[in-house]
Amino acid sequence: MLDRNRQHQIAGPGHGQALSADLYYDGAHNYSPYGRDYSEQDEGFNPLKLLFYVVQYRWLIVMMVAGGLVAGVIVTMMQTPKYRATAQLEVLVPSAKVFKDIEVVSEASDAYLVFETAREKLKSRALARRVVFQLGLSEKPDFLFPTPNFSLSNIFYRAFGISKSPSIEETTPEEREQIAIGRVRGDLTVNLVPNTSLLSITFADQKPKYASDIANQVAQSFIDQRLDQTSETSDLARQFIQEQVLQVKQKLQKSEEELVAYAKDVGITITGDEKSLIGSNIEALNTALATAIQERLDAGRVVEQIDKGRGASLGPVLESEGLQKLSDKLADLTSQYQQKLGILKPGFPEMQQLQSQIKELQRLYNNGVLTITDSLRQKYQEAQNKEADLKSKLAEMEMQQVIFNDKNIKYTILKREVDSNRSQYDSLITKLNEVGVSSELKSQSAAIVDFAAQPGSPYSPRLTISLAIALFLFMALSASIIYIIELLNNTFTNPEQVEKELGLAMLGILPLVDDRELIASIADQKSGLSEAYRSLRTSLQFSGAEGAPRSLLVTSSEPSEGKSTTSFKLGQDFAALGARVLIVDGDLRKPNLHRLFGLDNTIGLSNLLTNTVRKEDLASIFRATKYPNVTVLTSGTIPPNPADLLSSPKMALIITNLGKRFDLVIIDAPPVVGLSDAPILSRLAEGTLMVISTNQVTRKSAKTALKRLRAAGANVVGAAMSKFAVNKFDYNYGYKYMNYQYYDYGTGTPKIEGKVDDGADQPAYAKSPAFRRLVRRIRSGVGGFVDRAKSIS
């Protein structure tokens, strides 16, 4: 049997295998039953990984950058150069005086509205028509029919200097005018300069002269238009005011006559402050009543204290000098009585005399307090009577006020009408006096601060901006393509993904070796592949509390993931430690183990299970190999019912007996997905090792396989990642030292382990490792995408 303690001693610090396991794994004591728990380990944003993605897809990014540069140049050539000129106009607020009270009051209260109104007028159709007329733009073909702003033909125009010769003969004057107005309005931009009263007037055109001339003419036409409107409006305003003065004067006279007649009829008398006598009296009564109520409340609080027996503590009592003297004398006699009481008895004549004096003083004091409290009660009663009298008088005056208000309603209406008519009349007279002078004034409402200069160079197109936009769009497109490629890649590319997705401990990383060099790499004990398998053996030795499992099932999710090679090589490596190893080919459907050992497959496990082997041939079923301590049990004749044979009690009995004869039994099982053989065999083995190939098996397939094994009761001790290729420009380049340099450390000889095919016999474009990885990812990614779509549906 395999000595666990002996194995630990062999895999000590003196051997490279143990060192690799210690360096890259935490040890078996850190593993959960199904590997580590990575649920709480989030990578987050990794700039280094992003950099490796950029390097990995460098040719795609380079092509996209080149495409963006070409596209930016082409788009620039397809655009017609345009020139831009800007004039600045200052808006003056307010305008002429006559408009201050008639039109511009609301504008002056909100300067923002003034500027917005001026901005919209500058962009109006009427002003554009005025500009077209002033400059004669409707008769200029190069303005009416410019070169297209964006067209493929512009490339030839700009490259060879070919220009179009527009014609205006086919259009009517009205049509040309509408075209010119539309061009002026379409290419004109008016903006308010922040924190100023300036408006910037910008016009863009293919001709620099048109750009400056039109910008200046728009500003000048705006000023002329406002002056014309001001003069016309002033004349109309003077005529309107004269008519209004006559009408308001007649209304004022009539309203004053009605007011005087009504006041005389009803006998209304108004004080100087336009208040009635009744109203003034009511105000005085209210003031007196408030004072009386306050006095009554103060006296009531004093009476309340008297009723509660606290009259002696009131302020008037305490402030009385006579009562204060009586109180002091009473206190003095009481003190004397108390002092003599300790010597003389109360019946003694002197004591009786003191008692009589004390009682007399007490009576006098109480009478004094009673006199003061009675006066306070009398004061309270007087306050109540005064309050009642004032309320009665106030009620009487309020009745008179009601009668007066009924009469005063019409008086107030008439008075308000007189005041309104007088105010209108005064205002109109003032305006009429001013309009005679202001109507002759032509005050400018705006002034040109800066005329537009003729531009010397076009502002559009700008090659740098076009290139920047094109590069941004093409880089975004390349990022989207890379994201889709990575999204479709549903396979495992590095060990962290296996540990995170499956929750299994990564026991070994097996490098990718070309099929033509696989046999040589396995045979060479100094190759990187052999060193990787020895590292896997060391990890298996630490996978349990008692070392490696005595029976180990090696399986994979899908075919061609390297499980047979792993069984073959692990058997040799454990045998090299002195253990007796039996390798059983449990794949009764497509056996491969006998080919690796160079043996025939005439009889084997299937014959043993079906009792089709003679007793004298039983010993020959277990074949010795050229490798010391390694025995092989091939699959034998392929049966029609492999699952039935493997699930029979005889299979379990065979595995149990073989475990007693050999130190380690390695079972090479078929793939898990689609077959029931591997889950059946996993129940018979102490441990199960999953071989997961890089960039081949999908994550969903591996998860399904692991789920089936665990459902069958398998003890999955960990996983081994096979066919792991490290490109120099890859995020997995950090594992390069685990698979190559580290395994070759100290050998002193050139590496002869398997390496990625250099593609000498392949086309030139296929020699790139990145291209081959891209093809593999696309193939596996499409399959993974289909699986996701099916699962979602």
Side-chain angles (χ1 to χ4, degrees), residues 4 549-553 655 664-667 684-688:
R4 266 54 174 180
R550 301 190 60 173
S551 56
L552 178 66
L553 179 75
I655 295 298
L664 176 62
V665 177
I666 300 177
I667 305 173
L684 306 178
E686 289 186 7
T688 301

Side-chain angles (χ1 to χ4, degrees), residues 517-530:
E517 300 179 358
L518 179 61
I519 301 301
S521 297
I522 294 176
D524 184 9
Q525 297 301 315
K526 295 183 179 180
S527 67
L529 183 62
S530 297

Side-chain angles (χ1 to χ4, degrees), residues 63 114 130 148 270 389 408 503 566 694:
M63 289 187 294
V114 177
R130 192 164 187 151
I270 302 297
D389 293 341
N408 194 46
T566 301
T694 308

Side-chain angles (χ1 to χ4, degrees), residues 637-700:
T637 305
I638 298 177
N641 55 345
D644 296 339
L645 294 179
L646 295 177
S647 61
S648 63
K650 192 171 184 178
M651 181 64 189
L653 183 61
I654 291 175
I655 295 298
T656 302
N657 292 332
L658 292 177
K660 297 177 181 179
R661 294 180 53 189
F662 295 92
D663 297 330
L664 176 62
V665 177
I666 300 177
I667 305 173
D668 180 21
V672 178
V673 176
L675 302 175
S676 60
D677 301 7
I680 293 172
L681 291 173
S682 66
R683 301 181 60 182
L684 306 178
E686 289 186 7
T688 301
L689 174 67
M690 280 195 68
V691 179
I692 299 173
S693 58
T694 308
N695 293 323
Q696 177 178 339
V697 62
T698 63
R699 301 181 190 182
K700 182 179 180 181

Side-chain angles (χ1 to χ4, degrees), residues 317-334:
V317 176
L318 298 177
E319 295 172 0
S320 177
E321 295 182 1
L323 293 179
Q324 187 65 32
K325 292 180 180 180
L326 290 176
S327 178
D328 294 340
K329 190 172 182 179
L330 180 62
D332 182 50
L333 293 176
T334 303

Side-chain angles (χ1 to χ4, degrees), residues 172-236:
T172 63
E174 291 78 11
E175 292 176 344
R176 293 197 298 271
E177 182 182 359
Q178 295 301 321
I179 294 174
I181 292 174
R183 280 221 57 206
V184 171
R185 298 185 66 195
D187 294 330
L188 181 67
T189 304
V190 181
N191 293 313
L192 174 65
V193 179
N195 301 323
T196 67
S197 60
L198 300 179
L199 291 174
S200 62
I201 303 171
T202 303
F203 190 81
D205 194 83
Q206 298 174 5
K207 303 290 185 181
K209 183 173 177 55
Y210 285 152
S212 59
D213 290 349
I214 293 176
N216 291 329
Q217 187 58 49
V218 167
Q220 188 61 49
S221 296
F222 175 76
I223 295 174
D224 297 341
Q225 185 185 54
R226 293 292 295 266
L227 289 175
D228 294 344
Q229 292 175 353
T230 301
S231 178
E232 181 180 357
T233 305
S234 296
D235 294 338
L236 295 175

Side-chain angles (χ1 to χ4, degrees), residues 481-533:
I481 294 174
I482 294 173
Y483 176 76
I484 293 175
I485 293 175
E486 291 295 324
L487 186 64
L488 294 177
N489 182 21
N490 195 28
T491 60
F492 296 98
T493 59
N494 56 68
E496 283 88 351
Q497 294 176 346
V498 176
E499 295 175 328
K500 185 178 297 184
E501 296 287 340
L502 303 182
L504 292 177
M506 183 55 58
L507 301 181
I509 302 175
L510 311 176
L512 176 66
V513 178
D514 185 67
D515 293 340
R516 294 171 293 184
E517 300 179 358
L518 179 61
I519 301 301
S521 297
I522 294 176
D524 184 9
Q525 297 301 315
K526 295 183 179 180
S527 67
L529 183 62
S530 297
E531 291 291 348
Y533 274 113

